[in-house]
């Protein structure tokens, strides 16, 4: 009794091992690994390209500040209109990708905005000049830093979104590969294994026949099926010939 139970346990272990090491599972795992590697490389290239593109777009903020705000800031400093200067600096500080903003007038009085912003990837100094009657007066300097915090947040969001979509796509694709392989290949391999296991030299008239639609051109499974049946036919002929010789 114990020997029978042990045989059943060994058979169950062998079956479990075969399921884990099945060809279909190995193909799915290999497909997942290569697909994941390709997805990581493509995602890295895409994120790098997007990051550089965003950096170039962010640097255009300097030109926007120079043409849109410097004349008004110079006039505000010349007229000692601190309220107007503060309003203009608030507008500059709210421009996307603009980080720390420091305005220093000719008396070394500073106006500071976005003091807590870090991760500056570019900075620029602007000299503020006010013109009157063809005379130019230097009234202060403007220091502007561009922060990549918003760019990094955008890239992280994009990477997470891309990873989720890629993972979902890989899972669906792997499931489809597994189903297709089971339907097109694996079940026929099991049929061949069962036929070989139940092979009986006393009953050589039973031919191997795979349950699959006929192909206009033979594929690998057709070749194996034909080879097994040919081997069985030759064996039958050999046994018939041997029997005749012995008689």
């Amino acid at each position: 009794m114990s020997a029978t139970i042990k045989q059943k346990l060994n058979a169950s272990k062998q079956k479990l091992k075969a399921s884990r090491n099945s060809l279909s599972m190995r193909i799915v795992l290999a497909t997942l690994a290569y697909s994941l590697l390709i997805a990581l490389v493509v995602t890295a290239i895409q994120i790098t390209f997007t990051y550089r593109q965003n950096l170039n777009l962010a640097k255009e903020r300097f030109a926007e500040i120079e043409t849109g705000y410097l004349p008004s800031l110079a006039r505000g400093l010349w007229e000692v209109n601190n309220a107007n200067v503060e309003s203009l600096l608030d507008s500059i500080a709210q421009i996307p990708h603009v980080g720390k903003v420091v305005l220093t007038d000719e008396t070394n009085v500073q106006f500071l905005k976005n003091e807590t912003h870090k991760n500056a990837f570019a900075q620029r100094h602007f000299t503020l000049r006010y013109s009157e009657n063809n005379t130019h007066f230097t009234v202060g300097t403007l220091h502007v830093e561009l922060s990549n915090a918003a760019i990094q947040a955008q890239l992280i969001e994009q990477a997470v979104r891309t990873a989720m979509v890629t993972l979902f796509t890989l899972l669906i694709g792997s499931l489809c590969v597994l189903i297709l392989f089971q339907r097109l290949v694996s079940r026929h391999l099991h049929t061949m294994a069962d036929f070989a296991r139940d092979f009986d030299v006393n009953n050589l008239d039973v031919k191997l026949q795979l349950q699959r639609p006929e192909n206009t051109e033979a594929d690998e499974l057709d070749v194996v099926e034909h080879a097994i049946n040919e081997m069985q036919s030759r064996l039958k002929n050999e046994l018939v010939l041997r029997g005749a010789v012995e008689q």
Side-chain angles (χ1 to χ4, degrees):
M1 183 68 179
S2 59
T4 303
I5 296 176
K6 187 175 181 180
Q7 290 177 356
K8 290 183 177 180
L9 290 175
N10 291 332
S12 300
K13 290 180 179 179
Q14 292 294 331
K15 188 175 181 180
L16 179 61
K17 184 178 180 181
S19 64
R20 290 178 178 176
N21 296 328
S22 64
L23 184 60
S24 58
M25 187 59 64
R26 282 185 285 174
I27 290 178
V28 169
L29 293 177
T31 302
L32 272 175
Y34 283 111
S35 300
L36 184 60
L37 178 61
I38 294 174
L40 289 175
V41 173
V42 172
T43 301
I45 294 175
Q46 181 181 2
I47 289 178
T48 301
F49 176 77
T50 303
Y51 180 71
R52 291 181 178 178
Q53 188 178 25
N54 286 338
L55 288 183
N56 293 331
L57 291 176
K59 290 180 179 179
E60 295 179 1
R61 304 301 181 188
F62 288 137
E64 179 181 345
I65 293 172
E66 185 175 10
T67 58
Y69 291 92
L70 293 190
S72 300
L73 282 174
R75 177 179 292 275
L77 290 177
W78 177 261
E79 297 175 352
V80 196
N81 189 346
N82 292 339
N84 186 32
V85 171
E86 289 282 356
S87 177
L88 291 171
L89 291 179
D90 288 334
S91 298
I92 294 175
Q94 294 176 4
I95 296 176
H97 308 302
V98 171
K100 186 177 180 181
V101 180
V102 181
L103 175 64
T104 306
D105 64 10
E106 57 182 355
T107 62
N108 290 328
V109 176
Q110 287 189 343
F111 301 83
L112 183 61
K113 301 294 179 181
N114 293 344
E115 183 178 1
T116 58
H117 271 253
K118 297 179 180 180
N119 300 328
F121 67 90
Q123 57 185 354
R124 187 171 174 181
H125 289 275
F126 299 96
T127 301
L128 301 177
R129 294 184 177 88
Y130 179 75
S131 300
E132 186 175 358
N133 298 327
N134 295 326
T135 304
H136 303 284
F137 303 94
T138 300
V139 295
T141 59
L142 178 67
H143 175 77
V144 179
E145 296 179 357
L146 296 181
S147 174
N148 60 2
I151 298 177
Q152 290 178 349
Q154 179 184 357
L155 292 179
I156 292 175
E157 181 182 358
Q158 179 182 354
V160 172
R161 184 171 61 252
T162 303
M164 293 180 63
V165 173
T166 302
L167 181 61
F168 179 77
T169 304
L170 288 178
L171 290 177
I172 296 298
S174 299
L175 181 61
C176 292
V177 170
L178 180 60
I179 294 174
L180 288 175
F181 188 85
Q182 289 283 355
R183 181 173 179 81
L184 299 178
V185 179
S186 184
R187 67 189 183 98
H188 300 304
L189 294 178
H190 287 295
T191 301
M192 294 178 186
D194 294 338
F195 182 82
R197 184 177 60 249
D198 300 334
F199 184 78
D200 186 5
V201 294
N202 296 319
N203 188 15
L204 296 178
D205 293 328
V206 178
K207 299 294 184 181
L208 173 63
Q209 185 174 4
L210 301 179
Q211 300 299 323
R212 58 200 302 255
E214 294 184 2
N215 298 324
T216 56
E217 295 182 3
D219 58 12
E220 290 84 351
L221 291 177
D222 292 324
V223 172
V224 175
E225 179 185 5
H226 180 71
I228 292 176
N229 290 329
E230 283 290 325
M231 178 187 67
Q232 188 172 345
S233 297
R234 288 197 302 269
L235 179 60
K236 181 180 178 180
N237 294 333
E238 289 289 338
L239 291 177
V240 172
L241 181 60
R242 179 178 297 181
V245 170
E246 289 177 354
Q247 291 179 2

